């Protein structure tokens, strides 16, 4: 059994969802809430990804004050599973109601950035031939000013959001493996 080192940890800032901490001179984020991410996509007549969903939402840390990213949301107490949380977030933020479990694919977990302990479970969902309704939102100002846009896959993977690119790469890997009969 590996012995864990005792590291010096100092909390610099506390919030509801995360703490900013200094651990042995390295500043980073420790998460307090479980969050899921969703990548909606459509396929063409050959089964290839044609469009991906990018959520355009206010982000004051970006030069344009907007980011085009994945749907993300906190897992609520009422959510019986991560998949149900992802389904709820897709409906709230994207306007798609997709309850058919066969349309969903768990892409695994991703660290959102290197100075964080946050592991983000990521799902892809095939929304081909499903009507997009108006997003319900959760009542927050951020979601009132957000919109899910289905964009051509070439435009989508040209974005600069690493979460989108990582999720798409996982989806592409799955689809490639499927065509090669690896899965």
């Amino acid at each position: 059994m590996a012995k864990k080192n005792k590291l010096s940890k100092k909390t610099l800032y506390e919030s509801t969802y995360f703490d900013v901490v200094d651990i042995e001179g390295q500043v980073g984020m420790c998460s307090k809430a479980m969050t899921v991410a969703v990548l909606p996509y459509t396929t063409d007549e050959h089964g290839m990804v044609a469009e991906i969903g990018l959520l355009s939402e206010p982000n004051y840390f970006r030069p344009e004050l907007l980011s085009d990213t994945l749907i993300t949301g906190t897992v609520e107490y009422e959510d019986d599973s991560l998949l149900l949380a992802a389904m709820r977030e897709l409906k709230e933020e994207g306007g798609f109601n997709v309850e058919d479990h066969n349309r969903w694919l768990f892409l695994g977990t991703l660290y959102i950035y290197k100075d964080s302990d946050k592991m983000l479970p990521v799902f892809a969902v095939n929304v081909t031939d499903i009507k997009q309704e108006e997003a319900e939102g959760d009542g927050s100002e951020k979601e009132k000013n957000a919109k899910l846009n289905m964009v051509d896959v070439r435009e989508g993977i040209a974005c600069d959001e690493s979460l989108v690119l990582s999720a798409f790469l996982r989806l592409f890997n799955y689809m490639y493996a499927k065509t090669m009969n690896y899965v």
Side-chain angles (χ1 to χ4, degrees), residues 55 71 88-96 132-139 143-144 146-148:
L55 185 71
I71 292 171
R88 178 181 48 75
E89 290 296 336
L90 177 66
K91 188 174 181 182
E92 278 182 10
E93 296 184 32
F96 287 104
Q132 184 178 14
E133 305 289 340
E134 187 173 335
E136 298 174 354
D138 64 3
E143 285 193 16
K144 285 179 187 173
K147 179 172 178 20
L148 180 72

Side-chain angles (χ1 to χ4, degrees), residues 1-125:
M1 186 167 150
K3 184 178 177 183
K4 286 192 171 187
N5 294 328
K6 295 275 186 182
L7 299 175
S8 171
K9 179 178 171 181
K10 178 182 175 188
T11 301
L12 304 175
Y13 173 79
E14 291 184 49
S15 78
T16 304
Y17 299 107
F18 64 90
D19 290 343
V20 176
V21 298
D22 180 320
I23 301 175
E24 301 292 324
Q26 184 176 350
V27 177
M29 184 184 86
C30 290
S31 181
K32 293 181 177 179
M34 175 64 76
T35 307
V36 296
V38 181
L39 173 64
Y41 69 95
T42 63
T43 56
D44 63 17
E45 65 275 5
H46 305 291
M48 300 300 296
V49 175
E51 298 175 312
I52 61 174
L54 297 180
L55 185 71
S56 181
E57 67 179 358
N59 184 330
Y60 304 124
F61 295 100
R62 298 292 188 271
E64 304 83 23
L65 304 180
L66 287 172
S67 64
D68 289 327
T69 190
L70 298 184
I71 292 171
T72 58
T74 304
V75 177
E76 304 292 340
Y77 179 77
E78 302 80 29
D79 295 324
D80 290 334
S81 69
L82 295 175
L83 177 58
L84 291 177
M87 289 175 168
R88 178 181 48 75
E89 290 296 336
L90 177 66
K91 188 174 181 182
E92 278 182 10
E93 296 184 32
F96 287 104
N97 186 17
V98 184
E99 295 180 2
D100 180 356
H101 290 215
N102 293 321
R103 287 181 168 264
W104 289 86
L105 177 65
F106 178 60
L107 299 176
T109 56
L110 300 169
Y111 280 107
I112 58 171
Y113 59 94
K114 70 178 188 173
D115 294 326
S116 173
D117 67 349
K118 185 157 189 86
M119 291 285 291
L120 185 65
V122 182
F123 293 86
V125 58

